[in-house]
Amino acid sequence: NKLFKWVKLQIEKKREISYELEVIKNIFSVLLILLVTTNAHSASKLDSIKKNGELRVGTTGDWDPMSMKDPSTNKYKGFDIDVMRELAKDLGVKVKFVPAEWKTIVAGITADRYDISTSVTKTPKRAEVAGFTETYYKYATVPLVLKKNLKKFPTWESLNNSDVKIATTLGTSQEEKAKEFFPKSKLQSVEAPARDFQEVLAGRADGNITSSTEANKLVIKYPQLAIVPDGGKNPAFLAMMVPKGDKVWNDYVSNWIKKKQASGFFTKLLSKYNLKSL
């Protein structure tokens, strides 16, 4: 009987210890969640931007009319530049434009070289490592060829040929899309500051693909270029890139975009640069 009572007592003690350990485990889990949440908020770019009084913006400066750098002054202008100046003004901070290249523009976000990028095309590959804000512009993808070659290349499919060379700029969304659109063609990537359309102008490539936004500007600047007439493909969405996982900063910018759309800011800016979103 005494042995039975002793065994029963030991079992009850073990149950109490097990219960206490479970309670401690649950408390620790709650504290850990709170700690992670607090750290995530404190680590947000929004806090550091306001603390430092500066918004660092990565931009390539070679996409007319979104972001263009004047080599004589090293100053930037364009649709995206105006957007970023407005964002910095509303944040109450200065804006600093950080030079970037298409091949490394995503790496600039992950390496903390800047807090946000000017507009880039949303792609699954980029979304693997970077966050995207709310979309504020939509465009089509179109091919460019020399105007004198329009009879030779009247359609998208006419460019999808083993005898055709398609130029792309390294690191751009068009570089990814060219593989999809022209699986039979020879693809040639050039590295910034060189650009794909320059290869077409020089006769080193038969064509290139770009945004309808840039194409409309290029055919005015270079009358020897022409847009292949059978229409645009692959509607693409522009957004700003921010660090992946920084929900506080992403939500702030996305909500800011929505408010500016509602206020007519983007409508006026599109008109200023003769742009039309699809």
Side-chain angles (χ1 to χ4, degrees):
N1 189 32
K2 287 183 178 180
L3 179 61
F4 175 77
K5 288 183 179 179
W6 182 84
V7 171
K8 184 179 179 182
L9 180 62
Q10 297 306 311
I11 292 172
E12 289 176 350
K13 284 183 178 180
K14 284 184 178 181
R15 284 177 178 171
E16 289 176 2
I17 293 171
S18 178
Y19 175 75
E20 289 173 356
L21 287 173
E22 188 65 28
V23 170
I24 292 171
K25 181 180 177 182
N26 290 338
I27 292 173
F28 180 77
S29 297
V30 172
L31 290 174
L32 184 62
I33 292 170
L34 289 173
L35 181 63
V36 170
T37 304
T38 302
N39 284 341
H41 183 271
S42 63
S44 173
K45 285 292 179 188
L46 181 59
D47 296 316
S48 61
I49 290 165
K50 289 186 175 181
K51 181 180 178 181
N52 298 330
E54 183 178 74
L55 175 66
R56 300 173 302 160
V57 180
T59 189
T60 60
D62 64 351
W63 188 8
D64 188 10
M66 309 309 282
S67 169
M68 295 297 294
K69 185 178 182 180
D70 185 339
S72 64
T73 62
N74 284 331
K75 291 184 178 180
Y76 293 89
K77 63 180 180 179
F79 179 91
D80 284 342
I81 304 306
D82 288 358
V83 170
M84 290 303 174
R85 292 190 192 282
E86 184 76 4
L87 175 59
K89 185 186 80 172
D90 289 350
L91 278 164
V93 299
K94 297 184 297 182
V95 63
K96 177 183 178 181
F97 292 105
V98 182
E101 295 180 359
W102 287 112
K103 67 175 182 178
T104 57
I105 194 164
V106 179
I109 285 288
T110 59
D112 192 29
R113 288 199 290 272
Y114 32 83
D115 310 305
I116 194 169
S117 77
T118 48
S119 63
V120 298
T121 304
K122 287 184 174 183
T123 67
K125 186 176 179 181
R126 287 170 173 167
E128 289 177 3
V129 292
F132 282 106
T133 65
E134 183 80 8
T135 294
Y136 51 89
Y137 189 81
K138 183 180 176 183
Y139 68 84
T141 301
V142 297
L144 285 174
V145 297
L146 290 176
K147 188 179 290 184
K148 66 181 183 180
N149 290 336
L150 272 177
K151 289 184 179 179
K152 185 179 178 182
F153 303 116
T155 64
W156 280 82
E157 192 53 37
S158 64
L159 289 165
N160 185 29
N161 188 296
S162 59
D163 295 326
V164 172
K165 185 179 287 184
I166 301 294
T168 61
T169 302
L170 191 64
T172 60
S173 60
Q174 282 79 24
E175 184 185 30
E176 297 177 41
K177 287 297 177 183
K179 298 173 186 176
E180 176 186 338
F181 294 143
F182 309 112
K184 298 177 183 177
S185 306
K186 298 171 187 174
L187 303 183
Q188 173 188 328
S189 286
V190 296
E191 191 170 341
R195 285 296 310 278
D196 47 9
F197 69 85
Q198 292 170 339
E199 297 298 295
V200 179
L201 284 169
R204 292 188 292 268
D206 298 300
N208 73 293
I209 54 172
T210 187
S211 66
S212 53
T213 299
E214 182 178 53
N216 291 333
K217 297 291 182 180
L218 287 176
V219 294
I220 295 173
K221 188 174 182 179
Y222 304 102
Q224 58 269 53
L225 290 176
I227 299 171
V228 172
D230 70 337
K233 285 188 178 183
N234 188 241
F237 301 87
L238 290 186
M240 307 165 195
M241 279 193 303
V242 295
K244 192 175 181 68
D246 192 342
K247 190 174 184 304
V248 173
W249 178 223
N250 197 329
D251 284 351
Y252 179 90
V253 180
S254 293
N255 288 331
W256 179 86
I257 290 170
K258 290 176 183 177
K259 290 177 182 176
K260 288 296 178 178
Q261 286 174 324
S263 71
F265 169 77
F266 279 99
T267 301
K268 291 178 182 177
L269 207 55
L270 288 169
S271 177
K272 175 182 176 180
Y273 289 97
N274 296 316
L275 293 172
K276 282 187 177 181
S277 183
L278 294 182

